[in-house]
Amino acid sequence: MENVNNLGLVLAGSAIGAGLSMIAGIGPGIGEGYAVGKACEAIGRQPEQQGAVSRTMFIGCAIAESTGIYGFVVAILLMFANPFIGKLA
Amino acid sequence: MEAQELITGSHYLGLNLFGLEIRISETVVVGWILIIVIGIILKLLTHDLKKIPTGKRQVIAEWIVTTVNSLVKETMGEKNIAFAPYIAALFMSSIMGSLVGLFGLRPITSNYNTTIAWALVTFVMVQFFSIRTKGLKLHLKSYINPLNIIGDLALPVSMSFRHFGNVSSGFIISAILYMALSALSGAIGLPAPLTTVGIPGFLSLYFDLFSGFMQAFVFIMLTMAFVGAATEE
């Protein structure tokens, strides 16, 4: 371990953190799948309401996606605009 | 092109004005091109209008206006019909800003500055109309509960990150796929990166067309919902 300098340690930690933050993608995946399933049920029950149901579902899906997007933003920050490298000096 | 430059989009046009360096990013240039293009389209659609439409041109223009008006009426109520031009302009610039990705340009919505500007306009509108309908005293009274302060401040952050993240994740995935495909054609010994022809088009169809349209729609729906709620007694 004596060959590892501070910068290497920070970069390695950031890379691991970026990967870990993308675990946030699990939640929206499950949630959106459930929402689409429910929307299919609703359309099957009332096919004449297809337009309204799918419009509401799309908006709900896009909002449910936010948490995954936040994870993605954190990953992007860690990879391309790392705030920790500046703190080394 | 360097991978990082491709992803963070640090293309600058440096101008040296009286010893002051001014940097004009790609987003600003593309944004102004879009403004001009949208202006030309609207001018073409709306010049020389007749009471009884004779050509397709005026029918298209009338269809756009009717659709936006009915959407605003449906979500914000009859009395807020004056918001329709703003909503239409926001939708138009958002969708055109994402669609420039089809021409190989960087979408203007994949720059965080664009989406935070739009979200801040929504935030200011919500505050303004809330004060105007409820009065300053009643508006400030709602902030006795500190959760409301956090909720209101989170509104521009979540709206802008959602739009930015969706568009830029698609842009990054397309860029990574391009690099991987050209590396692949180098590895199997093709003289030119032939594998990059066609395959990324399907991804672009989803990320640029579907995702761009969806996020533009979600953005205007949320703006209408929040501003509409603020104008209610």
Side-chain angles (χ1 to χ4, degrees):
Chain A
M1 281 296 279
E2 60 267 19
N3 294 331
V4 179
N5 60 2
N6 283 346
L7 182 66
L9 201 61
V10 166
L11 288 178
S14 303
I16 294 170
L20 283 180
S21 70
M22 284 316 292
I23 293 177
I26 294 175
I30 297 172
E32 282 175 26
Y34 187 71
V36 175
K38 283 286 178 190
C40 287
E41 269 177 32
I43 292 172
R45 220 176 289 132
Q46 284 179 300
E48 67 274 9
Q49 290 293 319
Q50 189 188 7
V53 170
S54 42
R55 200 167 59 217
T56 316
M57 180 201 75
F58 275 129
I59 294 169
C61 280
I63 292 170
E65 217 164 59
S66 328
T67 49
I69 295 292
Y70 299 154
F72 166 75
V73 169
V74 171
I76 287 292
L77 278 179
L78 284 176
M79 284 196 291
F80 301 115
N82 200 322
F84 302 118
I85 292 176
K87 291 192 176 165
L88 278 179
Chain B
M1 199 186 293
E2 188 78 19
Q4 180 159 359
E5 189 183 299
L6 188 76
I7 287 164
T8 53
S10 48
H11 294 282
Y12 286 107
L13 193 72
L15 280 183
N16 208 331
L17 206 70
F18 311 116
L20 194 77
E21 209 202 338
I22 296 173
R23 287 167 148 198
I24 300 173
S25 65
E26 190 184 344
T27 306
V28 175
V29 178
V30 175
W32 275 103
I33 293 173
L34 279 184
I35 290 170
I36 294 166
V37 167
I38 291 175
I40 291 172
I41 291 174
L42 293 185
K43 193 75 197 160
L44 282 178
L45 279 177
T46 56
H47 83 92
D48 186 25
L49 295 177
K50 298 187 187 71
K51 191 158 189 182
I52 296 161
T54 47
K56 272 183 197 156
R57 199 169 43 78
Q58 192 177 339
V59 176
I60 294 172
E62 282 181 4
W63 175 76
I64 294 173
V65 172
T66 330
T67 313
V68 173
N69 277 354
S70 66
L71 184 70
V72 172
K73 240 182 248 174
E74 210 176 283
T75 26
M76 296 175 82
E78 190 85 42
K79 65 179 163 52
N80 286 329
I81 195 70
F83 284 107
Y86 173 68
I87 298 296
L90 190 61
F91 186 66
M92 193 83 163
S93 34
S94 172
I95 211 162
M96 296 285 267
S98 303
L99 284 186
V100 289
L102 290 177
F103 297 101
L105 293 166
R106 190 181 169 80
I108 60 166
T109 41
S110 71
N111 188 329
Y112 186 55
N113 296 308
T114 314
T115 52
I116 187 70
W118 291 342
L120 281 178
V121 171
T122 302
F123 175 71
V124 169
M125 271 163 81
V126 167
Q127 297 293 314
F128 177 79
F129 286 106
S130 176
I131 290 172
R132 208 176 74 170
T133 44
K134 288 198 293 191
L136 185 59
K137 208 173 149 194
L138 215 67
H139 177 70
L140 289 178
K141 218 178 206 173
S142 69
Y143 289 134
I144 289 176
N145 182 357
L147 270 182
N148 283 344
I149 301 178
I150 299 170
D152 274 15
L153 288 181
L155 160 77
V157 176
S158 73
M159 273 176 88
S160 56
F161 269 140
R162 183 178 307 125
H163 197 157
F164 158 76
N166 254 296
V167 178
S168 68
S169 64
F171 183 77
I172 289 174
I173 292 171
S174 307
I176 290 173
L177 184 75
Y178 263 111
M179 285 188 285
L181 283 175
S182 55
L184 177 75
S185 41
I188 59 177
L190 289 174
L194 288 175
T195 48
T196 55
V197 178
I199 299 168
F202 296 103
L203 264 189
S204 179
L205 214 60
Y206 174 78
F207 283 124
D208 288 326
L209 272 174
F210 178 73
S211 184
F213 183 83
M214 215 47 243
Q215 289 308 311
F217 191 65
V218 166
F219 202 92
I220 61 161
M221 284 305 275
L222 287 178
T223 300
M224 283 193 289
F226 285 122
V227 177
T231 54
E232 262 161 33
E233 301 287 326

